[in-house]
Amino acid sequence: MESYRDIAIKMEDPMSYFDNFPVISNSFTGLVSDYNFAVEGKNNSINSSLGFMELLGVQDFSSASVFDATNLDKLLPKEEKYHIEPAVSTAADESQNKLTVAADHESSNIFNTPSTPNSSSISSETNEGHAQDAEGEVAEKEQTKTKQHRLKAKKTVSQKKKREPRIAFMTKSEVDFLEDGYRWRKYGQKTVKNSSFPRNYYRCTSASCNVKKRVERCFNDPSIVVTTYEGKHTHPSPMNMNMINMPRPTLFPTRVFPSPAPTATFPLQMPFPINQFAQPHFNDLTTSLASNLDHAALVAHGRRFCSTPSAAEIMRDQGFLQDLMSSRVVEEDYR
DNA sequence: CGCTTTTGACCAGCGC
DNA sequence: GCGCTGGTCAAAAGCG
C-alpha cells in the first residue's frame, strides 16, 4: 500500500535549491565533502549527484540566505508524487558514503492510526470457577468487543486525521539505527516484499509526541539504511537540551546561522534534532535538514572523522563526540 | 518495577 | 470478493 511513491524535494533544478542552502557549520568541511548529496528530480530520476561541498561551497556564510517559502509550493506540488530511488553508484562512488535526502509528500492519504485504545484484560477477568466453555464465550465476546472498539477508533480517527508529511534519509551505514538525538520506542516490525531485511517501526517516546520513524535497508543496496520520519516533534531533542548550556568549543562556530535567523517555514516540519550550536528554529527546514546532515555525517563518518589524532583529542576533550555519536562509533574511534 | 522489544494478529487499502 | 501488503496494536517476554 505504502510504497515510496512520494518525494517532497522535487525540483526542476536541484542547484537552485542549494543556492539557498545555508552552510551550517564550516568546521565540517572536510567531513561532508566526501558525501554525495543526491536529489531526485522530475521523472523519478536522480537529477544530480553532487559533492556536498560543491553544493555548499557557493555559500556566503555571512549572508542571510534562507529558504524562500514562496518557492516551496513550486518544489512540492500537491498532486504529484515521486519515488525514492537509491542514488546510483558509480565506481568512483563505491568507497564513499552516500547520503540522500528526500521527503514524502502525501496530502491525500488518510492517517489511520487509532488513538490508543484502552487495553482490556481478558484473561484476568475470567472467573476460575466457570466452565471452560463459558470462559471461552466470555473471552470471545471480550475479543469481539475489543475488535469493534479498535475498528471504531480507527474509523473515527481516519476521518479526522491525515497522514503527516514524511521525509526519508538514505544513509550508507552498517548500523541500522542511526542516532538522531531523540528517544524512540519500537512498536512494530514487518518483513518487506522483495527484501530480506525487515522494516522497523518506531515512535517517539515523548508523551504527546506523534512522530514516527521507519527504518529499513535498501532492498537493492543493503549497505544503505533508509530512515523515514513522519510528523513533527512537539519537544526539543533531549540531546540538544543536554548541549544547550555547554561551553562552545572554539573549533566550531559560535554562530551557525546568518543573521537574521531564518524565518521561512517549510511545509514539512522536520522531526530532526536541531544543530547543536544553533538556536532552535524547529519549524525551519534549513535548520533541521542541515542539522541532520551534519549529524548523519558525523555518525556515519565517525571513524574517519577522528583519523587525525589531534582533532579526535580535541573533540573528545570537548565532550563533543560522546554526545553526538553513537557509543559504538565513539568506542571504535578511541580504541 | 518500569520501560522496551518481540511477535502474532488484526485492519485498511489496493489490485486483480 | 479475494489475496496481498503495509501499518499498527497489544500481550508477553526481556532487560536494567
Side-chain angles (χ1 to χ4, degrees):
Chain A
M1 177 188 71
E2 194 61 49
S3 60
Y4 273 119
R5 59 168 172 254
D6 9 39
I7 269 275
I9 303 180
K10 173 259 177 180
M11 52 199 73
E12 305 288 334
D13 175 16
M15 284 309 293
S16 66
Y17 176 94
F18 292 102
D19 283 346
N20 290 320
F21 202 96
V23 175
I24 60 164
S25 171
N26 49 8
S27 297
F28 295 154
T29 297
L31 246 187
V32 294
S33 61
D34 288 331
Y35 281 88
N36 278 345
F37 190 82
V39 179
E40 187 174 348
K42 227 177 177 181
N43 302 324
N44 297 341
S45 62
I46 302 294
N47 267 8
S48 68
S49 182
L50 302 161
F52 197 86
M53 291 314 293
E54 284 180 79
L55 297 168
L56 298 183
V58 298
Q59 295 305 308
D60 176 5
F61 190 63
S62 62
S63 69
S65 60
V66 297
F67 234 123
D68 181 0
T70 59
N71 287 331
L72 294 172
D73 288 341
K74 297 173 191 171
L75 297 178
L76 303 170
K78 285 184 180 176
E79 280 73 32
E80 295 189 58
K81 295 184 177 179
Y82 300 84
H83 293 267
I84 292 175
E85 306 266 349
V88 179
S89 271
T90 65
D93 288 334
E94 284 304 318
S95 62
Q96 298 182 351
N97 286 341
K98 193 168 291 187
L99 187 151
T100 302
V101 178
D104 284 3
H105 186 256
E106 195 173 32
S107 57
S108 62
N109 270 15
I110 300 301
F111 188 69
N112 62 359
T113 307
S115 53
T116 308
N118 295 329
S119 55
S120 57
S121 174
I122 298 167
S123 57
S124 64
E125 290 173 1
T126 308
N127 192 322
E128 278 183 17
H130 286 176
Q132 279 191 349
D133 285 354
E135 281 183 13
E137 270 182 37
V138 170
E140 253 181 52
K141 280 181 184 176
E142 288 290 337
Q143 260 186 328
T144 310
K145 230 181 190 178
T146 309
K147 281 179 192 174
Q148 286 173 345
H149 181 264
R150 284 172 60 177
L151 183 62
K152 193 179 176 183
K154 276 190 179 180
K155 278 184 178 174
T156 307
V157 171
S158 67
Q159 283 166 1
K160 293 177 182 177
K161 279 195 176 181
K162 290 192 173 185
R163 187 182 286 280
E164 300 277 345
R166 301 193 295 188
I167 183 164
F169 281 79
M170 296 175 73
T171 311
K172 198 155 191 170
S173 169
E174 292 175 12
V175 185
D176 281 353
F177 194 93
L178 299 171
E179 290 292 329
D180 59 8
Y182 288 94
R183 294 187 64 216
W184 303 91
R185 177 166 54 246
K186 187 174 180 177
Y187 68 88
Q189 176 174 319
K190 288 290 285 186
T191 53
V192 185
K193 192 188 173 188
N194 296 330
S195 175
S196 51
F197 302 97
R199 174 182 296 157
N200 296 304
Y201 300 89
Y202 301 88
R203 222 190 293 274
C204 183
T205 57
S206 182
S208 77
C209 183
N210 290 332
V211 176
K212 277 174 263 182
K213 178 179 182 175
R214 211 171 64 182
V215 178
E216 63 199 292
R217 289 212 168 263
C218 192
F219 73 95
N220 57 0
D221 187 351
S223 65
I224 293 177
V225 176
V226 181
T227 307
T228 308
Y229 294 90
E230 178 179 328
K232 170 197 162 193
H233 287 290
T234 58
H235 57 96
S237 155
M239 184 174 71
N240 287 309
M241 291 305 282
N242 292 337
M243 303 282 289
I244 206 154
N245 291 322
M246 278 184 60
R248 288 164 178 172
T250 53
L251 182 65
F252 297 95
T254 54
R255 184 170 61 83
V256 176
F257 281 92
S259 183
T263 52
T265 300
F266 195 64
L268 310 179
Q269 295 184 329
M270 311 305 245
F272 322 114
I274 58 169
N275 185 281
Q276 282 68 33
F277 305 106
Q279 295 299 311
H281 301 290
F282 282 103
N283 292 338
D284 184 84
L285 168 71
T286 56
T287 308
S288 306
L289 181 57
S291 150
N292 203 55
L293 285 173
D294 261 2
H295 185 253
L298 280 168
V299 171
H301 256 312
R303 179 179 282 108
R304 196 147 48 86
F305 187 68
C306 296
S307 59
T308 308
S310 57
E313 282 169 17
I314 292 168
M315 301 286 277
R316 180 179 48 193
D317 290 344
Q318 297 293 343
F320 183 80
L321 283 173
Q322 284 89 339
D323 285 337
L324 199 56
M325 293 184 182
S326 67
S327 56
R328 186 179 153 204
V329 172
V330 174
E331 280 169 17
E332 286 176 359
D333 287 335
Y334 294 128
R335 226 172 268 153

